[in-house]
Each structure stands twice: as structure tokens, then as C-alpha cells.
Amino acid sequence: MLDNFTSYFDLPPLDPKEGEPPEKALVGLCGGQQLLDGLLTIPEREESIRLCAAINRAFPRLGGAFSLFAYTWRGTGFALTRWEGLDSDNVVIFFPDRFLCQELPMPIERFLDMDVASGLAAYLEEDGFDQWCDEGGRLAYGTCAGYDDPLLCDGMRDKERPPLEAMPIQPYWDHAAEVVGMRERHADVWAETAFKFWEPPMF
């Protein structure tokens, strides 16, 4: 199953046991690995739990009812949630540079098996990754390409943004969670603004 995903990342077939969710099969196959030099990382279970704690601090109304199964070179996280306000079969994206959490109108099976040329590459921002690598960018496991002050970059035009830098993903998410958590608690607008559909950039 999920032939598009596994062939794109040069992985063996993803063959879950009977009744096993695809995200668990993915973590079992690739947990603790970078794919394509860091374009996508599948965290091991302990790392996923630590990153989910940062998400929970930013959005406490989720009650910790989610599981992270991957993150991109930009630190964008993909998770499933069991929060009652969302369809638990759909994928949720967490953006650390703005720390928005947005539901995609698709289950994980469709997300992982979408056509790479027309879908998955855009969600992974693959063209931006290739350009960053051409300019000398490199990622070790547990790192992402981001900004020292990620939330200050929200709304800036690309030409005004500082250069992307490789940095550990845990402090990056922790910083964003602290700032956004304070903002959301004081603004009390979480229910109206936190979740919305997102269309990937088309390159």
C-alpha cells in the first residue's frame, strides 16, 4: 500500500499488519530516519512525544489528543488528532514559523499516497529545499531550517526574511509554542482562527 510514498522515498513497501494504522506502520518502518537528506523526517516515538508536548502548550484546548508522524525540512509537522472538533481520520499540519494548526480535508492514507508531482512535493516545499541545499544548507537528524525569531517572520515578504538556518527542531517548536500559547490564552480567539483549510504553494 502507499506505493507513491514508498517509491518516492526509495523505501520498501509499507505493509501494515492487519488492523495496524498506516502511521504506526510508517513509524515502524522509518522511525528515527531522515528521508532524502532531510526533506522529510519520521521521528522516533520519544521525539514525537516531546514535540507533541510543545504543540499542547501552544494549543491546550486540544488536550494532547494528537500524534505526530512526520515533519519536513522546514519543521512543518504532520499529525493525527482525536480532538472532538475535528475529523479524527484527517491529517493536521502544524506550522512552527506561524504555529498555526490546520486540518487537511484528507485522511492519512490519501495524504501519504497522493501523486508526488501534483501534491506531496508542494506540501514538503521540495523546490525550496533543493534551492536551500544548492546554497549549502545541510540538516542533521533532529534539525530543521528555520528562523531565530520564527513568529516575527509571519507576514513578511520573502525578500525581507532573514536567511534560513539549520537549528534543532525541539527548541524551535518550544519557542513558538511559548509565544503562541500566551497569545491564544489572552486573545481567546482560538476556536475561530486556529483551524482552517490550507492549500499548498504551487511551484
Side-chain angles (χ1 to χ4, degrees):
M1 64 178 296
L2 309 180
D3 293 337
N4 286 336
F5 182 87
T6 54
S7 62
Y8 181 61
F9 289 105
D10 196 24
L11 296 169
L14 187 62
D15 189 19
K17 301 173 184 176
E18 184 175 354
E20 182 183 38
E23 70 274 14
K24 288 190 176 181
L26 178 62
V27 171
L29 176 66
C30 305
Q33 293 186 43
Q34 288 180 306
L35 307 179
L36 294 186
D37 298 321
L39 176 64
L40 187 71
T41 295
I42 311 299
E44 52 192 8
R45 184 174 180 274
E46 292 76 13
E47 183 186 17
S48 175
I49 291 172
R50 290 194 299 269
L51 292 172
C52 283
I55 297 171
N56 195 43
R57 286 194 296 277
F59 300 103
R61 296 189 199 184
L62 281 173
F66 45 82
S67 58
L68 182 82
F69 62 86
Y71 59 85
T72 74
W73 69 285
R74 288 286 282 109
T76 301
F78 301 109
L80 298 179
T81 182
R82 298 296 181 264
W83 186 62
E84 62 181 7
L86 294 176
D87 185 336
S88 62
D89 291 330
N90 284 352
V91 173
V92 175
I93 302 182
F94 294 94
F95 296 92
D97 55 349
R98 290 160 286 161
F99 227 99
L100 294 174
C101 49
Q102 301 175 347
E103 183 187 23
L104 293 180
M106 65 180 71
I108 185 172
E109 292 90 348
R110 180 181 162 199
F111 175 76
L112 292 178
D113 208 31
M114 71 171 65
D115 181 72
V116 172
S118 63
L120 186 59
Y123 282 101
L124 300 180
E125 298 183 71
E126 184 178 11
D127 282 3
F129 179 69
D130 291 341
Q131 180 180 347
W132 188 69
C133 289
D134 289 343
E135 294 170 354
R138 295 292 181 271
L139 292 177
Y141 178 80
T143 63
C144 66
Y147 305 105
D148 284 337
D149 292 306
L151 296 167
L152 299 180
C153 295
D154 188 23
M156 281 187 175
R157 293 188 301 244
D158 288 342
K159 66 179 181 179
E160 296 174 333
R161 293 174 182 263
L164 290 169
E165 300 179 25
M167 56 185 61
I169 191 169
Q170 184 70 53
Y172 190 55
W173 280 35
D174 285 341
H175 171 69
E178 180 180 356
V179 175
V180 175
M182 291 176 59
R183 182 192 69 191
E184 298 297 340
R185 284 191 293 274
H186 289 291
D188 197 26
V189 294
W190 185 91
E192 290 76 27
T193 63
F195 284 101
K196 57 186 177 182
F197 292 120
W198 177 77
E199 293 295 333
M202 300 307 293
F203 299 105

